[in-house]
Amino acid sequence: MVFFGYNEMRLHNVSKTAGFRGWWFQKHRLASMATQTASSLPFVPNSPPLDCAQQEQLQQFIYSSQQLFVMTGAGISTESGIPDYRSEGVGLFAKTDRRPIQHKEFIQSASARQRYWARNFLGWSQFSSHEPNAAHWALNYWEKLGKLHWLVTQNVDALHTKAGSQCLTELHGCTHRIICLGCGLRIARSELQDRFIALNPMWTAEVQGVAPDGDAFITEEQIIHFRIPACATCGGILKPDVTFFGDSVSPAKVTDVYQHLSESDAVLVVGSSLQVYSGYRFILAAYEKKLPIAILNIGPTRADHLASVKVASRCGKVLPEILTLRET
């Protein structure tokens, strides 16, 4: 997988040695400490006390799998300080009437693109600085052990890549990459940020909050003087390499995910309500194939009735506890 701008963040190739395990446990310990000492987790909804019997069920579920397929959603990244849309009481949809940009709107309206990029420009520094939490590191550890066969994330925040995951499909793309809708050129989002700065050296705006995808909330009056660049190669429209609301995941990517699912023997959903069909369809396919399904998510999901195991607790609390995976 090519990931622009973050090759330097990839982990060194390591084997299943005591040295690697020691390295990972140190990483996990630091991530856990950061979570435990935080004054609050403002984007994580309240959850009931962890049910030990359910945690044991989940642990046995994972032990029993040799080719685990994992799908993650926004609930795995809220502990890294990234808000989501749907969490009860704390998600964007619950706290504001603001809604993410639609694909059609971005394509058809120059003023919509200006608004989007002005907000994104202001929010980018904070959004791009978020780091993986203990749950991201745990999944990377399982991959290194050979337990995790494939990871599909619905998130666009690059945190799995920052944690070193290689067997990875970013179902909805990644905000750290930019694509030209004219010629298909891809560049790093950091490169576009430099171009924004060059075009808007005196432009400032007061940020009134940051949305889940990294764009800041600002007033319409602050947007009108913001300038956006075109593709340096063909003059085309530049867009984040992500699937906006109202758009569809590419058929080739969908086919690829189905292939990885067909090679798997169990499915684990982590931090997703599965309300978006682009991810839910793979869980339906797993159920039709009679693959066992487990869900780790605070709050109800669209697939609760399909799962044999459901744990309603924080991802960063539960996944790192499943560390005694028996190597085969």
Side-chain angles (χ1 to χ4, degrees):
M1 183 184 80
V2 176
F3 186 78
F4 296 91
Y6 274 93
N7 289 331
E8 72 278 11
M9 290 181 171
R10 290 192 179 279
L11 302 180
H12 295 296
N13 290 326
V14 291
S15 60
K16 293 182 284 185
T17 63
F20 169 71
R21 286 194 295 271
W23 173 87
W24 188 88
F25 277 109
Q26 182 181 18
K27 280 286 189 181
H28 160 252
R29 181 176 63 83
L30 292 173
S32 296
M33 288 174 60
T35 300
Q36 293 166 357
T37 58
S39 59
S40 65
L41 294 168
F43 306 121
V44 179
N46 293 327
S47 60
L50 180 60
D51 186 306
C52 293
Q54 290 181 343
Q55 184 171 6
E56 176 64 23
Q57 282 184 310
L58 181 60
Q59 183 164 280
Q60 291 302 321
F61 178 95
I62 294 168
Y63 281 169
S64 300
S65 171
Q66 301 301 314
Q67 294 281 94
L68 185 64
F69 179 101
V70 178
M71 173 169 287
T72 67
I76 197 174
S77 294
T78 52
E79 291 175 59
S80 290
I82 298 177
D84 69 356
Y85 288 110
R86 295 181 174 84
S87 286
E88 183 177 354
V90 296
L92 182 68
F93 291 165
K95 298 171 67 175
T96 176
D97 59 359
R98 297 177 188 265
R99 293 296 181 262
I101 192 168
Q102 297 289 312
H103 175 77
K104 183 177 180 180
E105 181 185 15
F106 185 92
I107 298 300
Q108 296 182 348
S109 171
S111 62
R113 292 193 295 274
Q114 182 188 41
R115 182 187 314 112
Y116 174 85
W117 281 124
R119 293 171 52 176
N120 190 272
F121 168 73
L122 289 171
W124 177 248
S125 178
Q126 177 181 337
F127 183 77
S128 61
S129 68
H130 290 293
E131 293 296 330
N133 61 57
H136 297 96
W137 291 113
L139 293 176
N140 171 247
Y141 178 54
W142 297 0
E143 179 185 316
K144 297 301 181 183
L145 289 180
K147 173 64 67 172
L148 189 155
H149 174 63
W150 203 258
L151 171 61
V152 177
T153 184
Q154 299 170 88
N155 301 333
V156 297
D157 53 32
L159 293 187
H160 285 297
T161 298
K162 289 184 179 183
S165 293
Q166 300 284 327
C167 300
L168 173 67
T169 297
E170 294 168 322
L171 188 63
H172 298 145
C174 182
T175 56
H176 292 249
R177 296 187 298 267
I178 301 299
I179 185 170
C180 171
L181 298 181
C183 65
L185 177 73
R186 284 178 168 82
I187 62 173
R189 176 62 182 80
S190 56
E191 180 180 333
L192 183 61
Q193 191 75 353
D194 292 338
R195 295 183 64 188
F196 281 138
I197 293 171
L199 281 174
N200 302 277
M202 304 300 293
W203 185 83
T204 59
E206 181 180 351
V207 175
Q208 301 174 340
V210 179
D213 295 336
D215 48 329
F217 297 137
I218 56 179
T219 65
E220 291 296 319
E221 292 76 14
Q222 295 172 312
I223 292 170
I224 58 176
H225 298 297
F226 187 77
R227 300 174 62 195
I228 59 176
C231 174
T233 300
C234 74
I237 295 172
L238 296 176
K239 173 184 173 292
D241 192 11
V242 301
T243 302
F244 281 148
F245 282 76
D247 194 10
S248 300
V249 178
S250 73
K253 185 178 288 190
V254 172
T255 298
D256 187 60
V257 173
Y258 276 129
Q259 177 60 40
H260 292 302
L261 181 63
S262 72
E263 300 162 352
S264 304
D265 61 7
V267 173
L268 172 64
V269 177
V270 178
S272 176
S273 64
L274 298 171
Q275 291 302 311
V276 178
Y277 182 75
S278 60
Y280 179 57
R281 62 180 151 194
F282 300 115
I283 310 307
L284 289 176
Y287 184 75
E288 291 173 359
K289 294 176 181 294
K290 301 187 184 307
L291 297 179
I293 299 168
I295 297 175
L296 169 59
N297 186 69
I298 299 174
T301 82
R302 197 175 180 182
D304 284 352
H305 64 293
L306 306 179
S308 58
V309 179
K310 170 69 185 293
V311 178
S313 190
R314 289 196 291 110
C315 307
K317 179 178 178 63
V318 174
L319 294 187
E321 296 300 321
I322 307 175
L323 295 175
T324 55
L325 294 171
R326 293 191 285 263
E327 298 183 34
T328 58

